[in-house]
Amino acid sequence: MASEKVTEAPEEGYERGLGSRQVQMIAIGGAVGVGLFLGAGANIAKAGPSLILMYALAGAIIFFIMRALGELLLYRPVSGSFAEYSREFLGPFFGYFTGWTYWLMWVVTGMAELTAAAIYVNYWFPAVPQWVTALVFLVVLFGVNLISVKLFGELEFWFSMVKVTALIGMIVIGLGVLTFGFSAAGDTASVSNLYQFDGFFPKGIGSSLMTLQGVMFAYLAVELVGVTAGESEDPEKTLPKAINTLPWRIALFYVGALTVILCVVKWTEFSPGVSPFVKAFAEIGIPAGAAVVNFVVLTAALSSCNSGMYSTGRMLRNLADSGEAPRIFSRLSASKTPALGVTVSVLFMGIGVILNYVVPAKAFGYVTSIATAAGIWTWLMILISHVLYRRKVVAGELPASSFPAPGGAVCSYIAIVFLLFVTGLIAYDADSRICLYVMAVWAIALGIGWFVMKSRTPQTGEREEPALEKVG
């Protein structure tokens, strides 16, 4: 019988500078982002109150994904975990494809967050062009990521603290309006707002299901906790705790917050491009309330962009260690950060600045659909790797993880079917279908790159022990 112990991970050269406090907040922050603060407005307009159910359904699937990832992480905690597990259980090509696709996901997510941040700043300074604001934020966060992982973790901790505190405050104020009827919205605030205006599914179940693609974008980044494994002080304790708190985070921040908001303000008042939280506070009439919420959602955007810079640098280094990216990306700076990988990723995120200059009104929609498609691929690889790992554990070929997923591989199969269903919805929707074309071109490009690399270096994909190299 396989013993339940964590497989010793190789020393990757990173500074284990992320403590329990920071990993917990990175996990919480990953579950609260622009997809909720900004994207929920468009989805409420499409689905009405039934959006609450869509977030709950997708949240359950996300928990299945994270428990599958958690079992793998405690079997072998490594930075760049998704690519590593794909490489181990599906083969070198899948590790290569997953690593580069996760890098793409964060690059385009960074573009989306920069776009959202620029939109929020326009609330106060409408005369400042979006692209200028996006560029300033890009440069500042780039500097933070180059200094040290501790500074990244500390900044992310406070970003997440602002988001969490504000969301809890919004829920408490909303419940106060519902219970005591104070404020300008007190006369119309009621639980009946969830069904009074054309029912709970005002535009039909089909329209509600079509919002799942946007809902899944809101959950992108929950898996970021897996990327922190190589830099966590005590992954055996911090990672299970971070993952097991996911259900209450989803229940409180997504389901709870949206339920309260839709009770306070009827769903017909919301529209695309406007944060439902900003709108709700404006309706309640709290002095400067909308401005405060706007600051909070700006923080959420910068938090996610900060995380994107962090994860892309680590993923490029993981690819370089396996010969699937230029070797120079495997080097660490004197502060033990993959500085070159972060720099190159930031340069690509700069395309988002250009999009904000060329098509400021459509930039957010373009990049979020691509990020969602890339994220679905990453989640599928986590789930399939988990299923194959479980088979090897049952066969006695690998040690069991100290953090097994409930139900074994059953929940992973359910999640796989759900993600394939969402992919079908994306293909059906003419507006979001373009992301599948982009992903097809991406897949062809990666396929060509793979064959070129294999022809030049047949050992590509065979991971070596990463050695700490210093540059600069």
Side-chain angles (χ1 to χ4, degrees), residues 72-125:
L72 291 169
L73 285 171
L74 271 293
Y75 147 68
R76 191 163 69 93
V78 289
S79 187
S81 55
F82 326 115
E84 275 293 282
Y85 302 136
S86 300
R87 190 174 291 117
E88 178 178 354
F89 296 108
L90 288 107
F93 175 77
F94 286 93
Y96 158 82
F97 196 100
T98 301
W100 277 110
T101 301
Y102 192 66
W103 175 84
L104 174 72
M105 185 200 90
W106 269 114
V107 166
V108 294
T109 298
M111 294 180 194
E113 308 299 358
L114 286 171
T115 301
I119 291 171
Y120 297 143
V121 170
N122 273 1
Y123 179 86
W124 295 299
F125 307 104

Side-chain angles (χ1 to χ4, degrees), residues 183-200:
S183 88
D187 294 336
T188 56
S190 170
V191 175
S192 64
N193 284 340
L194 295 178
Y195 54 83
Q196 189 172 340
F197 301 95
D198 298 323
F200 189 69

Side-chain angles (χ1 to χ4, degrees), residues 32 82 114 121 140 178 190 196 208 218 220 222 234 243 294 296-297 303 307 331 336 340 363 375 386 399 409 434:
V32 181
F82 326 115
L114 286 171
V121 170
V140 171
L178 279 169
S190 170
Q196 189 172 340
S208 299
L220 289 182
V222 293
D234 190 359
I243 291 170
N294 198 66
V296 173
V297 295
S303 167
S307 298
R331 296 181 180 180
K336 297 186 178 181
L340 184 61
H386 177 249
I434 187 173

Side-chain angles (χ1 to χ4, degrees), residues 366-380:
Y366 283 159
V367 294
T368 54
S369 62
I370 297 171
T372 303
I376 286 174
W377 172 270
T378 300
W379 290 335
L380 282 172

